[in-house]
Each structure stands twice: as structure tokens, then as C-alpha cells.
Amino acid sequence: MIILSINAGSSSLKFTGFDMPSEKVLISGVFERIGIDGSFYTIKLNGEKIKKEVELKSHEDAVRILTEELVNYNIVKDLSEIKGVGHRVVHGGDKYADSIVIDKNVTDTIRELFHLAPLHNPANLMGIEAFQEYIPEATAVAVFDTGFPQSMPEENYLYAVPYEWYEKYGVRRYAFHGISHQYITEYMQKFLGKENVNLITCHLGNGSTIYSIKDGKCFDTSWSFSTNSGLVMGTSSGDNDTIVVPYVMKESGMSMEEVLNTLNKKSGLLGVSGVSSDSRDIEDGIKEGNERCILAQKLFVNRIVGYIAKLWCPLKKVDAICFAGGIGENSIMTRKQIIEGLSSLGVELDEEANNVRGEFKLITKEGSKIPCYIVPTDEEVMIARDTYKLID
């Protein structure tokens, strides 16, 4: 059975085609700069990467071209062979704890939640509607980034603000990257041979999150109401005192939108280093002795270590700490610094084992009180799995 996993962004559309239930990848790629000059798309097929420049005025253009290429490259003879299309949807509010077959009620709810994810949900819905037009017979499934963390208890997701703010406005802690953290959890459940795992899962990249997993379910997280919370990220500041916003507005004359834009797009590794939002550039700067890059890396690592310690305490026993995401899977330096920062918890790094990128591996010594693993994540296959389960 052929299933597509789709991740539609504001100016991009990522796709992977799977043969299910074998989970064999048939084709993958991304359409970039949709609605922007210089648009193009790349396709990965049989180990080959193909790039084509083309005008992409809308997500509908991307979907039209994708469906044509699926036939051109003999992935399918006819689009009716595609039985399901799974869509990553960033925000489901507290409406959806599980993936769901998309109908009008679901699309209406996604639209109603635009205000909670104004950069993501509208793009996700554009992707859904475009595929419904071009492959109407395929079952469409919404897989929510906020779904897995819906298992958090009230004391972990509520703020100490007037309760009516939660009732009337939905003010509470949500969490994102849930699809990734669920994949890591299920992978470790299988690897460790137990359902009731206790884990600290770290998805570290341009956007970063840490979850605590208790008895196989999300118990707490570093993220809060918005994506500009928790850890230091590529361009986002992470946790801040709420008074910072009105204070900077008063002192600088900036508008609220300008301050929030700065906290979201000009802060984090970029804002502190003044060099780049990319961890690889930060590491290059550190090697050259750039003091601002050294400082940015310290802030990044210190925040991670602090959150791991905070999330570890209520679990009492942790089966593993897991590293995923672009930085978590590939930055030898960052993993080393984090694990060294956890030495008071009895965590001991195996430097030789840690000298690897992008593969599943135990990277702590045998005597380490908490084992640490690299667990390459796969959000696309999680979307395909949920879609396959929901198809009649």
C-alpha cells in the first residue's frame, strides 16, 4: 500500500512516499521557496538526488507537480494507487490527542486554531486542501505535533494564572515535536523490550525540545504555550521573563510585533553569536576562538542540562537519555558537553563511542547510572504508520 507523508510549511512542502507496511521509502523530496522567486524542488530516488527549478506560485502548484512526477518516475501508474496521505499538523490545541481521518470538522478545527500557530496551521491546511483536490480518493489523515504530549497531567500543563484564562482562551502549556518524541519513545520501547519506559528525549536542532516520558507517555516538556519558549534555539530566545517584552518596548520604542519578531527570528544562537543560527557555524567559530560563539554554545548547553535535570527529578528512575534531531544526532561536541554537564547525576560519557554521527548508538560507559543513546528520529515514518493504521 502506497502512502505519502506530507509536511507543508509556509513556503515549502516536504514529502516521502512509503510502501506500507514494509516502510520502504519509494521517493522523497522537498519543494522550496513556494510563492517566492527562485523556487525549485528536489527529489531523492534510488540513491540519486534530482533538482529542478520551476515556478511555484502556490502549494497547489507543488502538489500538481508532485503527482505528475510520481507517475513520471513510475512510483505509481495511476494516482488511485495512493491509498493514504498523512499530513503533519503543528497545532491541534487540546482537541486531538491522537491522529484522525480528516473530514470537514477536522479542517474547521485546524482553521479555528490558526491563532495558536499562525505560521504553521494555515500552511498545513493548504497542503491538506491541495492533496484533497488532486488525490481525492486517498484517505487523508492529520497527525498532530501536539498530540503525543496531551498525556501531560494538569499540574504540568497549567499555568498559575486565573483559571478562566485556560477555560476561555486556551492558555496552557502545549508542546511540539510530538511526532519525533513519540518515534523515539516507540523505538526505545522496542529496543529495551518494555512498554513502561521512563526516558528523557532530546530533539535538538534549529528548534529544540526535551520531553520526559513516564511509563511510555509524555509527562512533561521544555516547551510552553508557544515555540518561543524552553531551550535556546537557532533564532529563538527560549525562556524569558514576560516583563522583558514591555520593558524593551518602552526603552527602544519598538512595537510589540517588532520585539516578538526579534525574540523569534533574531535571537538564540544567531542573536548571541552574531554569526549564524546554524550549530555547525557556531562550532566553526568556537574552533577559531570566537568568544560570542563560545558564549552562544554555553547558553545552549546550559539550558539543555538544566531542563534534563528538572525533568529527571519527578521520574526518579530513568531508563535512558536520548539525543535526536540535526544537532542531537550529529554534533559530537554538543553531546559531549551536555553529558559532561550531567556528571552529578552519575552520567559518564564514552568519548570513543560518541565519535559518530547519525546512527543509533550507546554513547555512555558501562558504569554510567543513566545510559545515553543517539536515536535518529523519523517523523515521516511515524506519519505513515498512523495513516496506515487509520485506513480501513
Side-chain angles (χ1 to χ4, degrees), residues 281-290 293-294 297 333 337:
D281 296 333
I282 300 299
E283 291 192 18
D284 288 342
I286 291 170
K287 292 172 186 175
E288 295 167 1
N290 185 309
C293 287
I294 293 170
Q297 179 72 3
M333 174 192 292
Q337 292 174 345

Side-chain angles (χ1 to χ4, degrees), residues 141-280:
V141 172
V143 182
F144 296 94
D145 236 3
T146 51
F148 183 57
Q150 284 297 306
S151 57
M152 286 192 293
E154 281 186 318
E155 63 270 22
N156 286 347
Y157 71 70
L158 287 179
Y159 294 114
V161 296
Y163 194 77
E164 65 180 17
W165 288 15
Y166 166 59
E167 293 178 305
K168 291 183 178 180
Y169 316 123
V171 174
R172 52 159 287 176
R173 297 178 66 218
Y174 297 99
F176 310 92
H177 288 158
I179 300 169
S180 175
H181 289 278
Q182 185 173 2
Y183 175 87
I184 299 165
T185 301
E186 291 185 4
Y187 190 100
M188 292 304 294
Q189 285 173 322
K190 185 175 181 180
F191 175 75
L192 297 173
K194 59 187 293 188
E195 288 293 314
N196 293 328
V197 291
N198 283 7
L199 305 169
I200 302 292
T201 55
C202 308
H203 180 112
L204 307 177
N206 190 57
S208 296
T209 40
I210 301 178
Y211 281 26
S212 65
I213 308 298
K214 184 175 183 180
D215 296 329
K217 297 180 179 181
C218 175
F219 183 71
D220 206 348
T221 176
S222 61
W223 247 343
S224 193
F225 178 75
S226 75
T227 55
N228 188 32
S229 58
L231 305 179
V232 174
M233 303 180 218
T235 63
S236 297
S237 64
D239 286 345
N240 272 307
D241 188 323
T242 55
I243 302 303
V244 166
V245 174
Y247 173 78
V248 173
M249 289 172 61
K250 182 178 179 182
E251 294 295 313
S252 68
M254 295 168 69
S255 67
M256 179 180 292
E257 289 73 20
E258 288 171 327
V259 175
L260 293 177
N261 185 65
T262 300
L263 291 174
N264 275 295
K265 297 182 179 180
K266 300 178 183 179
S267 299
L269 294 178
L270 173 62
V272 177
S273 72
V275 170
S276 175
S277 63
D278 192 311
S279 173
R280 292 166 293 189

Side-chain angles (χ1 to χ4, degrees), residues 48-84:
E48 182 183 3
K49 187 174 182 179
I50 305 156
K51 180 179 178 180
K52 299 183 181 183
E53 295 182 3
V54 65
E55 185 177 17
L56 299 169
K57 293 182 179 179
S58 66
H59 287 72
E60 183 180 341
D61 286 343
V63 174
R64 173 180 52 79
I65 293 169
L66 173 56
T67 54
E68 291 171 355
E69 294 288 47
L70 291 173
V71 176
N72 292 340
Y73 286 107
N74 296 315
I75 302 301
V76 295
K77 292 181 180 179
D78 186 272
L79 293 177
S80 62
E81 295 175 41
I82 299 170
K83 300 302 181 184

Side-chain angles (χ1 to χ4, degrees), residues 279 283 297 326-336 357:
S279 173
E283 291 192 18
Q297 179 72 3
I327 298 174
E329 294 169 27
N330 296 296
S331 177
I332 296 166
M333 174 192 292
T334 299
R335 291 193 305 263
K336 179 179 186 292
R357 303 178 194 274

Side-chain angles (χ1 to χ4, degrees), residues 55 137 298 391:
E55 185 177 17
E137 298 87 359
K298 284 182 178 179
I391 292 177

